[in-house]
Every structure is written in structure tokens, then in C-alpha cells.
Amino acid sequence: MTPLAIPRALLRQAQTVADDFTAVTGVRVDATELLTGRAALLGIAPRGQVSAGGATRLLATGDGWCALTLSRPDDVAAVPALLQDDSVEPDPWPAIQAWAAVSSAAEVAGRARLLGLPVAVLGETAPAPPKVSSRWPGRTGSMAGVLVADLSSMWAGPLCGQLLARAGATVVKVESRSRPDGTRAGEPEFFDWMNSGKLSYAVDFDDPRDLAALIQVADVVIEASRPAALSRRGLGPDTGPARPGRIWLRITGHGTAGEKAGWVAFGDDAAVSGGLVGYREGAPVFSGDAIADPLTGVDAAAAVAASRARGGGELIEFSMAAVAAGYSLRDGEDTEVTPVRPAAEPPGPELGSGNDAVRRLVAERTDAPC
């Protein structure tokens, strides 16, 4: 198993957050497993300026460094527009690297963001705690019996949902039938690790009545899309009456203020934005595997548990880049960490397999007094 280069101080800091979750819920969490488990399951590791998953590259520009992710078919399709060249080779990276080398970091990021590509300028994001806003009446309690509507996908949000499930919550994984969680198409071990024990609720996002009904009776909502994606469907924290003590968790790549609200991010480029990289011979290299994802997931789970203990009624907003910046230890030395393989999990739920059960839960909670 290929070791990962991760600062030892970062692992200690992440374990401190995991211990905060344990103190509230009683559920023991191994931060090293959470940060390295995907690498162990998939047998991957960064290769210098190529991410562990292979979709993100660190690019030297004329005045600094950027990270660009090409993980979706639409990202690859946008490369000719990015380079303003219709003759791009099947492997676009050499042409991208050549263009970046004669451009400024701001130019690379600016053009990529106009095209909706996940991109970051190294160290552009400062550390910031999650933004917490009191929005609804409170109600204290444990996580046992809490209903969680998990609208997220991939890693950070699903990991948060998985940790809440371990603490006794009923977690409903909400997916679109036409565009389910992309990890379903990957190695099943990772999907199972993140989603085993959840109920799968497949809905039509263009007809959001079923989803709106679930949101209104949920105690916790996990959202990891750009805020406009839900608001244009008439959904969001202010949609309809909320249960007392409800917690709305919003995870974004770069926050919700101004133009940053529209910026796309994945774990590797978000980490670069926060300056969370290692260095080899003076040049940045990737540290860990998409490390902003699991760091945000465990931070978010601890924040939700703490909010529940103090009564909830809060909107909690995390920026993955800001989380990474909070762990950015520029003077810390990387250490070789052997990835910890998670215990085998039962298969994750089949798409839509929990629809009937979820509808019963919604009906029961709609009829019952809060």
C-alpha cells in the first residue's frame, strides 16, 4: 500500500475535531482512517503534481501555481474553449500546461471559472470558521432518532451523513434518478463506505414536491450544491415551516458570498486553494488524497453534533477551501502515513430502494406534532 505524505500535525488537528464529535455522540472516530481510507480502498496515491485520483493537476503559471480538475465529461469538453484552440489532443494536459506557463495564475483561474471548471490559485483562500446563523426555534437532544436529509454527493457531505448515521441518526440519501451520485459509477467499496446504512430516496428534481415534503420534516439537511441549484427549484433553508431545532448544513467549495458562490470545487483543488500542499524541491505537490473532502466531512459532522447539543435551529455554512486553509501547515513536515483500510461495509443502498420507507417516515412526521 503506497504511503501518503501528510503533515503529522495535520493528523493531530483532525483527530482533535474527531474527538469533539466523540465527546458529544460517544462514537469513536479515527481521523487517519477518514483521511486515508479512500486511498487504501482504491490503491491510489498522489504522484507529485498529479492528484491521487488523477483528475487534478498542479500547473506552473507565469507568476505562481494553479490547480485544475477535469473529472467530468463537461470539464474535458470545455478544454478547447479554455485554450481557445479547437485542435486539442486526446490528452489535453500538455497543451494546458504550455498555456498556463505563459499566463498568470489569475488569467488561468479567471478563464476556467467563466467556463464552470473546478480551478484554484495556490493559497488564495484564508482560514475561516464555518458561518453559523441562528434561524429557527431550538430543541436540544442527542443524534438518536434524528432524521437527516442528505442531498450531497461524492465525499464531504456523504461522510458527514455517514458519521451522523453511526451516531444513531436515520439518514436519507437523496439522489436524482437522472443524475445519481457519481460514486455509484466508481469502485463499489468507496460508495459502500460512505453510504452503507442509509436509505436511498430517488426523486425528480424538476418536480421537487416529494423532496420539499422530506425537507420540511427533516431535523438535519445536508446540502452540498451551489445554493442557486436549490433556490431556483423553490427549495432552501427558508422553504416552508421548519421543525424546531432543525439544522441546515451547507457545504460549498468557496463559500456563498459574491462570485465565489458560483465557483465549482473538488477536494484536491479546494485543498490547493487553501494552501494545503506539500513541497518537493521548492515546488508544490499534492498532500494526501482530495484531503479537503474528508477534512470538511469530519468538521461538518462535529459542527452538526455540537449544534444539536445546544439546540440547533441553525444554518451552518462550510467552505471546503476555507477548511483546508485552517489545516494549512506551511512549516510542517510531511510524514509517510500508511493508509488505513476501513472495515468492510454492507453494500450501499440501491437507487430508490428506500422510497417507500421514506414516504412512510414523511407521512408519520407530517401527522405527528413537532
Side-chain angles (χ1 to χ4, degrees):
M1 194 172 295
T2 305
L4 300 180
I6 301 175
R8 196 176 298 274
L10 184 151
L11 292 175
R12 291 195 297 268
Q13 187 178 350
Q15 188 60 54
T16 297
V17 176
D19 291 343
D20 291 341
F21 179 80
T22 300
V24 176
T25 65
V27 176
R28 175 65 182 162
V29 175
D30 181 352
T32 301
E33 176 191 315
L34 298 184
L35 268 59
T36 66
R38 188 179 81 152
L41 289 171
L42 306 186
I44 57 177
R47 290 162 286 150
Q49 289 160 1
V50 179
S51 67
T56 309
R57 305 286 176 101
L58 277 157
L59 305 171
T61 70
D63 60 356
W65 290 85
C66 283
L68 178 67
T69 300
L70 301 179
S71 62
R72 305 165 298 181
D74 287 350
D75 298 334
V76 177
V79 171
L82 179 70
L83 302 181
Q84 297 182 339
D85 184 352
D86 291 331
S87 60
V88 179
E89 297 293 327
D91 177 5
W93 287 111
I96 293 172
Q97 290 167 329
W99 167 67
V102 296
S103 305
S104 69
E107 289 169 341
V108 172
R111 190 183 296 176
R113 283 170 176 151
L114 283 174
L115 296 168
L117 294 172
V119 68
V121 176
L122 177 59
E124 66 185 341
T125 300
K131 181 181 177 182
V132 180
S133 307
S134 180
R135 303 289 287 271
W136 306 286
R139 173 184 284 176
T140 57
S142 70
M143 293 306 303
V146 163
L147 178 61
V148 178
D150 180 4
L151 281 61
S152 66
S153 61
M154 305 304 286
W155 196 350
L159 173 57
C160 175
Q162 177 57 237
L163 294 176
L164 298 181
R166 294 185 196 179
T170 297
V171 180
V172 176
K173 181 174 182 60
V174 180
E175 299 175 83
S176 164
R177 286 194 178 277
S178 59
R179 297 189 67 179
D181 188 334
T183 59
R184 286 187 178 276
E187 295 296 329
E189 293 86 355
F190 179 65
F191 178 83
D192 295 343
W193 182 37
M194 288 294 101
N195 297 292
S196 179
K198 299 179 183 179
L199 295 170
S200 172
Y201 191 43
V203 299
D204 180 356
F205 276 72
D206 292 325
D207 182 11
R209 287 173 293 183
D210 288 344
L211 179 53
L214 171 62
I215 287 174
Q216 288 183 15
V217 301
D219 300 297
V220 177
V221 178
I222 302 174
E223 171 201 349
S225 58
R226 285 171 286 179
L230 286 181
S231 63
R232 67 171 174 257
R233 292 177 169 87
L235 303 172
D238 299 315
T239 301
R243 291 175 66 84
R246 185 173 75 176
I247 301 164
W248 190 290
L249 173 68
R250 175 174 285 161
I251 298 174
T252 63
H254 296 273
T256 59
E259 64 177 357
K260 290 185 178 181
W263 292 359
V264 182
F266 289 93
D268 284 302
D269 52 85
V272 172
S273 180
L276 186 48
V277 296
Y279 284 88
R280 187 179 301 162
E281 298 179 355
V285 294
F286 286 105
S287 180
D289 170 28
I291 198 164
D293 269 311
L295 288 176
T296 302
V298 70
D299 274 29
V304 170
S307 178
R308 175 73 177 172
R310 63 177 176 261
E314 296 175 332
L315 169 64
I316 305 174
E317 298 178 287
F318 275 91
S319 153
M320 291 203 303
V323 169
Y327 283 89
S328 182
L329 303 164
R330 299 175 191 276
D331 298 326
E333 293 185 2
D334 284 358
T335 184
E336 296 294 298
V337 177
T338 300
V340 176
R341 186 180 181 88
E345 296 285 352
E350 294 184 9
L351 184 64
S353 60
N355 276 27
D356 289 341
V358 173
R359 292 190 182 107
R360 286 194 297 269
L361 280 172
V362 170
E364 291 168 2
R365 287 186 161 228
T366 300
D367 295 336
C370 292

